[in-house]
């Protein structure tokens, strides 16, 4: 299974919303807090992103809390796990 990363920052409401949404869907992910982890901040820069939350799974990149795109990603990940 492709690793799913969620880039976040401390106190970000949209970041918490993304994490809660993925958890409720039963999707495992790695949280990369750019405040607590300098390497995560560098990776975010390499990806060309300017804000969080940023969801990265393989070639899929989702900026912000985009419910429709998250649902598509969840469907793909769920189907791949079967």
């Amino acid at each position: 299974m492709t690793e799913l990363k969620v880039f976040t920052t401390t106190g970000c409401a949209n970041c918490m919303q993304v994490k809660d949404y993925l958890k409720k869907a039963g999707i495992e992910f790695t949280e990369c807090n750019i405040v607590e982890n300098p390497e995560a901040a560098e990776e975010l820069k390499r990806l060309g992103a300017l804000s969080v939350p940023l969801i990265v799974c393989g070639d899929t990149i989702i900026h912000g809390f985009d419910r429709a795109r998250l649902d598509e990603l969840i469907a793909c990940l769920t189907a791949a796990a079967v």
Side-chain angles (χ1 to χ4, degrees), residues 1-77:
M1 184 164 153
T2 305
E3 182 182 19
L4 185 135
K5 293 183 179 181
V6 179
F7 290 86
T8 65
T9 190
T10 307
C12 169
N14 286 335
C15 298
M16 289 186 276
Q17 192 175 20
V18 166
K19 294 186 298 181
D20 288 344
Y21 198 73
L22 292 171
K23 286 177 188 174
K24 286 179 184 171
I27 302 298
E28 293 184 18
F29 60 90
T30 301
E31 181 177 1
C32 303
N33 186 308
I34 64 169
V35 172
E36 298 171 359
N37 184 344
E39 287 126 11
E42 286 300 316
E43 187 173 354
L44 186 74
K45 286 180 189 175
R46 280 193 301 276
L47 291 166
L50 301 175
S51 62
V52 293
L54 183 77
I55 301 95
V56 178
C57 186
D59 293 334
T60 301
I61 297 176
I62 302 171
H63 297 270
F65 181 75
D66 184 334
R67 186 181 305 263
R69 295 219 39 227
L70 283 171
D71 286 342
E72 289 174 12
L73 178 62
I74 290 167
C76 288
L77 292 172

